[in-house]
Amino acid sequence: MIIGKPFLTSEQIQKRVRELARKISEDYEGKEILAVGILKGAFMFFADIVKQIQVPLDIDFLVASSYIKTETTGKVKIHADLREDIKGKHLLLFEDIVDTGLTLKYIKDTLLSRQPASLKICAFLDKKAHRQVDLEPDYTGYKIPDEFVVGYGLDYDNKYRNLPYIAVFKEDSSH
Ligand code: 5GP
């Protein structure tokens, strides 16, 4: 497996993060957000964007997984749940990437049953090609083609999450 050259550079990422934060700050003016980072993948995006959001917010985390290496298992597991009571709160979920949509659909339905005042989704990347459920993020960083990407929080086998840019991950055909 090899990593291609940056698909989204650190500068492109940071510019888009600022734009998303500005839009979110406008939309939530006068409200307080409970910002939820979905781990592990969203940790970098989440840390970057919450610094730029201009309305009061609380943060919480939820640890979920459905992928083994580059394939979805289709079964979503919540390894660690929120610690905050979300009833009556304006929940904004931050996710690294939406692919089939199964992970976020499961998380969204689970959290909606706890009666937040509102629930919106901000996904840094959106890969529409494999979507299996009706799920549209309210805020999207970039729409990307059907490629497996790593970096900026996204892993392959738990590695490469620390890259400050996003790159396409490919089979190395030279071996
Ligand atoms: P979904 O349930 O929408 O199919 O997948 C969501 C999760 O799958 C993401 O949070 C992420 O962990 C993983 N995933 C989906 N596509 C990719 C990708 O291109 N690269 C990496 N590293 N993870 C992905």
Side-chain angles (χ1 to χ4, degrees), residues 77-93:
K77 192 160 166 10
I78 294 186
H79 301 277
D81 207 334
L82 300 177
R83 297 185 59 180
E84 303 285 328
D85 179 9
I86 64 172
K87 192 167 180 182
K89 301 205 174 145
H90 294 289
L91 228 61
L92 183 51
L93 310 185

Side-chain angles (χ1 to χ4, degrees), residues 32-65:
E32 194 167 315
I33 300 174
L34 176 56
V36 173
I38 301 181
L39 300 179
K40 299 178 189 171
F43 81 98
M44 234 185 239
F45 173 46
F46 188 66
D48 283 345
I49 199 163
V50 293
K51 283 183 272 189
Q52 313 264 350
I53 295 176
Q54 303 293 324
V55 296
L57 56 80
D58 276 359
I59 67 164
D60 204 350
F61 297 98
L62 190 148
V63 187
S65 71

Side-chain angles (χ1 to χ4, degrees), residues 8-173:
L8 290 171
T9 64
S10 181
E11 290 72 26
Q12 286 171 312
I13 291 171
Q14 294 308 324
K15 178 170 179 281
R16 191 67 189 125
V17 166
R18 284 195 295 275
E19 289 167 3
L20 286 171
R22 200 175 314 126
K23 178 82 176 92
I24 288 170
S25 303
E26 281 167 22
D27 292 355
Y28 283 88
E29 204 185 331
K31 292 188 182 133
E32 194 167 315
I33 300 174
L34 176 56
V36 173
I38 301 181
L39 300 179
K40 299 178 189 171
F43 81 98
M44 234 185 239
F45 173 46
F46 188 66
D48 283 345
I49 199 163
V50 293
K51 283 183 272 189
Q52 313 264 350
I53 295 176
Q54 303 293 324
V55 296
L57 56 80
D58 276 359
I59 67 164
D60 204 350
F61 297 98
L62 190 148
V63 187
S65 71
S66 69
Y67 266 59
I68 297 176
K69 298 210 171 159
T70 61
E71 297 292 325
T72 181
T73 60
K75 286 202 194 88
V76 182
K77 192 160 166 10
I78 294 186
H79 301 277
D81 207 334
L82 300 177
R83 297 185 59 180
E84 303 285 328
D85 179 9
I86 64 172
K87 192 167 180 182
K89 301 205 174 145
H90 294 289
L91 228 61
L92 183 51
L93 310 185
F94 291 88
E95 175 66 309
D96 51 358
I97 184 166
V98 192
D99 184 17
T100 61
L102 290 167
T103 307
L104 268 177
K105 175 90 172 80
Y106 179 84
I107 292 171
K108 184 180 175 185
D109 290 348
T110 304
L111 298 182
L112 278 177
S113 70
R114 300 180 197 169
Q115 302 173 314
S118 67
L119 186 157
K120 285 191 181 180
I121 292 169
C122 177
F124 190 63
L125 302 176
D126 189 357
K127 210 160 58 167
K128 289 225 186 294
H130 291 155
R131 195 61 49 83
Q132 289 181 23
V133 290
D134 182 18
L135 190 126
E136 198 60 48
D138 301 278
Y139 305 94
T140 303
Y142 288 95
K143 294 198 169 104
I144 64 162
D146 184 18
E147 303 270 17
F148 192 81
V149 290
V150 295
Y152 197 59
L154 289 150
D155 74 313
Y156 169 75
D157 209 11
N158 244 328
K159 295 190 183 65
Y160 310 109
R161 292 191 195 276
N162 57 322
L163 297 177
Y165 56 87
I166 291 173
V168 173
F169 199 63
K170 287 192 191 301
E171 295 282 350
D172 185 356
S173 53

